[in-house]
Amino acid sequence: MSAQGGSALGGKKLIEEQFDVVVIGAGPAGMMAAVRAAQKGARVALVDKKEEPGKKLLMAGNGRCNITQDENNIVELSKLYKNGRFLLSAFGAFRPGSAREFFENNGVPTKVEKNGRVFPVSDKGEDVLKALMNVLKENNITFLYKSHVVDFVVEESKITKIKLKKRELFPKNVIFTTGGKSYPATGSMGDGYEWAKNLGHKIIETVPALVPIKIKEDWAGELQGVSAGSVSIAVYQNGKKKFSDSGDLMFAHYGLSGPLALNMSRGVGKLMSQSENEIKLTLDLKPYLSLEQLDDIVRVDFERNADKKLANCLTDVFSPKLLDFMLRYSGLDLEKHAAKISRKERFHLVNLFKHLEMSFDGLFGFEKAMVTSGGISTKEIDSRTMRSKIVDNLYFAGEIIDVDGPTGGYNLQLCWSTGFLAGESAAKNL
Ligand SMILES: Cc1cc2nc3c(=O)[nH]c(=O)nc-3n(C[C@H](O)[C@H](O)[C@H](O)COP(=O)(O)OP(=O)(O)OC[C@H]3O[C@@H](n4cnc5c(N)ncnc54)[C@H](O)[C@@H]3O)c2cc1C
């Protein structure tokens, strides 16, 4: 760190420093931007208001960090994101495969799990953060933690000064990577939106995305912690089916979580904002079987276990906790032997397995949202460089931009890609 002198402000001596690139926000996007800018020869400072970087990164994937997706066709990849076309250049510059290679080369072997989700072999998100920190240190990046931005000075369409509480930074280029508004305790509170707005950028309305779904039924509590893989949910409003999706579901005391519920939250949220009419959800526990096929399986199971009580049947078809709940919920006599169960009763049960009805009771807010949808309008950022079209030496990367994807490593990938491209572009703009 080379101090360029000092000035007095409010009686206190200020440290003044010059940097080629100042990155504000040490999350995944900011760390990658800082690494790439430094690799390209820039003198880089990484600023964060928290006492340490990557707080949200450590929470990712329940601490296991779903780094990226195993998908290298960037056109297909981009289709899964809001404003995905905007991301094509960034994905071209740094693909999911590049992200895996980056971490593998820096001591984090990776593995691919169900649905193409890529994790560190160690299952430890802290290994991902450690690898990034090592590369940052190797590249002599100046860390400025617990540093609050107080103000920016803009001259001739360029940020010429960043005022922190105890320092003044004179940047040639600035990258905003302050993230969104979700899980505010991690430091992401939407500060960057305000700065960008004051600098003339349009902010697309920010809403919580990838949030759990609340349901009215009290029985959700009985299923808390139970997961149901490869199920599907259909969403109805005014009795009309609006959309459906399938995937892995997790029950929680308030309702539904897991990838399926999180990914569906955007669509349900949209319906909720369009009309106040009640939204119903129906869960199909065996979506790849027709009603008749599932009935056949249940019938054969009952025949094979004719002497057993209903409570002890169907153990090969459903997991124990889910089965126990479904049988009780059906209202059938659990003491009855399978041979005595009527066709009508069996059909009632099968119908429940295919159509478990739930009443939507709202979505969680930013406190439980995995990402923020909305943010800096992509129309005002050059997608080839991540440079602002309004402020000449300002770049954006990560969740702060109006782009977001489904669960499964997609959101971190957009951070790696846009961070890489913003860092590289800023380093070239010297
Ligand atoms: C519980 C949870 C689990 C997740 N799991 C996954 C997963 O497994 N895979 C996946 O792809 N995505 C996952 N995500 C999403 C992913 O973590 C985010 O998309 C990603 O962290 C966004 O990165 P970012 O760098 O843009 O911003 P952030 O990670 O939010 O980082 C922003 C940084 O900016 C700093 N900052 C903010 N304001 C200021 C300021 N005024 N001055 C200085 N610094 C500031 C913050 O302190 C923070 O360090 C998960 C999210 C959550 C909440």
Side-chain angles (χ1 to χ4, degrees):
M1 198 184 305
S2 73
Q4 300 290 306
S7 70
L9 194 88
K12 281 191 182 162
K13 185 115 169 128
L14 275 178
I15 302 168
E16 295 181 354
E17 291 153 277
Q18 280 187 354
F19 290 96
D20 295 330
V21 179
V22 174
V23 183
I24 311 180
M31 287 189 271
M32 185 55 84
V35 164
R36 190 57 186 162
Q39 282 173 341
K40 285 280 157 192
R43 185 161 182 270
V44 182
L46 181 55
V47 178
D48 203 291
K49 65 179 176 187
K50 286 290 199 189
E51 63 290 347
E52 53 199 7
K55 287 210 173 253
K56 195 176 278 178
L57 183 64
L58 286 177
M59 297 171 71
N62 276 329
R64 293 173 61 223
C65 193
N66 183 185
I67 302 170
T68 183
Q69 258 292 313
D70 187 28
E71 167 66 83
N72 271 308
N73 181 330
I74 59 170
V75 175
E76 289 308 313
L77 185 70
S78 68
K79 287 180 187 162
L80 296 167
Y81 290 82
K82 177 183 181 195
N83 291 325
R85 280 181 63 80
F86 170 83
L87 290 168
L88 275 170
S89 298
F91 286 154
F94 198 79
R95 292 163 186 264
S98 320
R100 284 187 78 178
E101 211 176 292
F102 175 88
F103 286 107
E104 302 251 349
N105 290 341
N106 288 291
V108 186
T110 60
K111 60 178 174 180
V112 182
E113 292 193 0
K114 195 177 166 194
N115 300 325
R117 293 175 306 153
V118 177
F119 289 91
V121 169
S122 65
D123 285 328
K124 287 186 184 154
E126 61 207 61
D127 290 349
V128 174
L129 181 57
K130 262 189 221 156
L132 280 162
M133 290 304 291
N134 287 340
V135 187
L136 286 164
K137 282 177 195 156
E138 276 163 26
N139 284 282
N140 300 316
I141 279 137
T142 301
F143 297 101
L144 300 173
Y145 297 141
K146 284 191 183 169
S147 293
H148 287 256
V149 174
V150 179
D151 201 5
F152 296 95
V153 175
V154 182
E155 288 165 303
E156 291 172 10
S157 226
K158 279 189 173 179
I159 298 176
T160 52
K161 197 193 283 189
I162 302 169
K163 293 184 182 179
L164 306 179
K165 270 191 186 154
K166 294 179 187 154
R167 294 167 192 268
E168 286 188 341
L169 308 180
F170 295 87
K172 289 195 181 138
N173 292 288
V174 183
I175 309 180
F176 284 178
T177 50
T178 46
K181 288 181 177 172
S182 76
Y183 279 82
T186 61
S188 321
M189 298 168 80
D191 301 357
Y193 302 137
E194 283 307 309
W195 302 336
K197 198 168 139 193
N198 292 337
L199 291 166
H201 271 274
K202 182 174 179 196
I203 312 300
I204 304 300
E205 190 194 357
T206 53
V207 291
L210 300 183
V211 276
I213 295 175
K214 295 184 223 176
I215 62 169
K216 288 183 183 156
E217 284 74 14
D218 291 335
W219 53 252
E222 293 182 47
L223 283 172
Q224 177 167 9
V226 172
S227 49
S230 305
V231 298
S232 89
I233 292 180
V235 180
Y236 295 81
Q237 198 171 34
N238 291 336
K240 269 194 194 154
K241 184 172 168 181
K242 296 291 181 178
F243 69 100
S244 64
D245 201 354
S246 53
D248 298 339
L249 187 68
M250 173 84 95
F251 291 94
H253 66 277
Y254 49 77
L256 311 173
S257 187
L260 176 59
L262 297 176
N263 287 335
M264 292 187 87
S265 62
R266 182 199 297 277
V268 180
K270 211 169 169 186
L271 289 180
M272 188 174 76
S273 67
Q274 285 164 356
S275 150
E276 283 181 5
N277 287 331
E278 200 183 15
I279 297 170
K280 293 272 187 194
L281 311 170
T282 45
L283 172 63
D284 183 347
L285 291 169
K286 297 285 176 194
Y288 44 88
L289 295 174
S290 67
L291 204 68
E292 291 71 27
Q293 285 168 328
L294 183 58
D295 184 47
D296 272 349
I297 289 172
V298 173
R299 181 179 50 75
V300 169
D301 187 280
F302 284 177
E303 282 168 10
R304 206 184 313 129
N305 298 306
D307 295 340
K308 285 189 182 168
K309 292 174 182 173
L310 175 60
N312 299 322
C313 293
L314 298 171
T315 50
D316 295 339
V317 187
F318 296 101
S319 64
K321 273 192 168 172
L322 188 58
L323 177 63
D324 174 61
F325 166 77
M326 292 300 288
L327 292 177
R328 280 186 290 113
Y329 189 71
S330 72
L332 297 177
D333 180 359
L334 303 188
E335 294 295 307
K336 212 175 196 179
H337 285 113
K340 295 274 169 61
I341 292 167
S342 69
R343 194 166 175 273
K344 192 175 164 197
E345 286 171 325
R346 191 184 74 225
F347 222 73
H348 166 68
L349 193 57
V350 171
N351 205 44
L352 211 58
F353 293 149
K354 294 286 290 174
H355 303 106
L356 179 62
E357 197 167 284
M358 299 169 283
S359 307
F360 174 69
D361 196 24
L363 296 172
F364 279 95
F366 283 113
E367 78 284 1
K368 272 197 188 293
M370 263 173 79
V371 294
T372 301
S373 189
I376 316 287
S377 168
T378 52
K379 291 199 177 111
E380 294 172 354
I381 304 172
D382 182 344
S383 65
R384 295 161 305 172
T385 57
M386 296 294 133
R387 185 155 79 149
S388 160
K389 292 182 182 171
I390 294 170
V391 181
D392 288 346
N393 64 344
L394 176 62
Y395 296 77
F396 298 101
E399 202 176 312
I400 189 172
I401 306 173
D402 180 26
V403 281
D404 59 274
T407 59
Y410 295 95
N411 289 294
L412 281 178
Q413 182 57 45
L414 85 79
C415 294
W416 311 134
S417 297
T418 54
F420 182 94
L421 185 54
E424 176 152 311
S425 313
K428 282 184 188 162
N429 187 32
L430 295 177

